[in-house]
Amino acid sequence: MEGLREVLIREARKEDLDQVININLVSLKEHYPRSFWRDHLMLWGKAFLVAELTSRVVGYVMCRAETGVGYLRSSWRRLGHVISIAVHPNYRRRGIGTKLMVKAIERLREYYRAEEVYLEVRVSNEPAIKLYEKLGFMKAKVLRHYYLDGEDAYLMVRETS
Ligand code: ACO
Ligand code: ZN
């Protein structure tokens, strides 16, 4: 009956990090030391969210808040930076990634006053690029050889409101 249950999007807690890190390991080539996850939880916990389904963590989004020159306006702005998002392979394509992104953007605006939100994504990562485009993100530029294996990234960005 799992399919009938609602996914809960909530702030991540320290006890979730094992599950979050596992989802990252099976989903992406970009991995981080545990201290990196812990630091983001401590510093920008209002925008570090997990998706919970039947008491299990099935997805996460980890962000940070920065200040810099905007990509949509060349003035000094508060920026939200989506560092990493993933949904466990068994739970994809049911709107969980969308829910995580929508809530993260909302919270980057509300708690950290972010005006723009941006992220980097592999140019070959069609599922993620489609998700971001559906949410109104634009490709602002190509970052050549952004990844360790040499692949390029799109830097994608949108206003938070
Ligand atoms: N193929 C084509 N389009 C897709 C796919 C796919 N496999 N998956 C998602 N989309 C697009 C579709 O338009 C979809 O809408 P639809 O289902 O109505 O057609 C839309 O995105 C929303 O899909 P969701 O169900 O909300 O997304 P999901 O929960 O599956 O999560 C995610 C998407 C996070 C990209 C997932 O595929 C994943 O974990 N991938 C591996 C990790 C990854 O690539 N993360 C992003 C890296 S970049 C970064 O972290 C900043
Ligand atoms: Zn980044």
Side-chain angles (χ1 to χ4, degrees), residues 27-28 82-88 91-99 119-122 125-128 130-132 134 147:
S27 298
L28 284 164
V82 179
I83 306 292
S84 184
I85 177 173
V87 172
H88 187 284
Y91 297 91
R92 288 182 192 159
R93 221 60 197 270
R94 4 170 143 176
I96 295 173
T98 301
K99 283 192 171 135
L119 54 83
E120 301 90 10
V121 58
R122 286 178 181 269
N125 192 347
E126 266 181 59
K130 287 228 173 81
L131 163 69
Y132 303 143
K134 270 196 171 172
Y147 296 98

Side-chain angles (χ1 to χ4, degrees), residues 9-149:
I9 310 294
R10 60 163 175 82
E11 285 175 23
R13 305 188 279 257
K14 259 211 302 245
E15 312 85 77
D16 299 321
L17 284 184
D18 286 337
Q19 294 179 86
V20 166
I21 290 168
N22 178 60
I23 293 169
N24 169 265
L25 287 174
V26 300
S27 298
L28 284 164
K29 291 186 199 156
E30 289 65 53
H31 307 142
Y32 313 101
R34 196 182 180 81
S35 57
F36 185 82
W37 299 93
R38 229 190 302 110
D39 289 350
H40 281 76
L41 187 58
M42 212 157 52
L43 294 168
W44 299 287
K46 296 289 180 193
F48 189 158
L49 307 177
V50 295
E52 187 188 290
L53 193 67
T54 57
S55 310
R56 281 188 302 254
V57 172
V58 297
Y60 71 85
V61 58
M62 175 173 70
C63 306
R64 83 167 68 127
E66 303 169 353
T67 315
V69 176
Y71 297 100
L72 296 171
R73 273 194 216 171
S74 40
S75 58
W76 206 247
R77 304 187 94 181
R78 299 277 304 161
L79 308 175
H81 183 170
V82 179
I83 306 292
S84 184
I85 177 173
V87 172
H88 187 284
N90 297 347
Y91 297 91
R92 288 182 192 159
R93 221 60 197 270
R94 4 170 143 176
I96 295 173
T98 301
K99 283 192 171 135
L100 284 166
M101 281 296 294
V102 166
K103 199 118 203 195
I105 294 165
E106 227 170 75
R107 288 172 147 255
L108 283 165
R109 185 183 67 238
E110 283 173 16
Y111 289 96
Y112 305 108
R113 300 275 158 252
E115 298 163 84
E116 292 183 14
V117 57
Y118 79 96
L119 54 83
E120 301 90 10
V121 58
R122 286 178 181 269
V123 296
S124 64
N125 192 347
E126 266 181 59
I129 293 167
K130 287 228 173 81
L131 163 69
Y132 303 143
E133 283 178 336
K134 270 196 171 172
L135 290 172
F137 283 78
M138 316 276 286
K139 293 170 180 160
K141 57 176 164 177
V142 178
L143 306 171
R144 298 282 170 209
H145 303 295
Y146 181 78
Y147 296 98
L148 287 176
D149 61 8

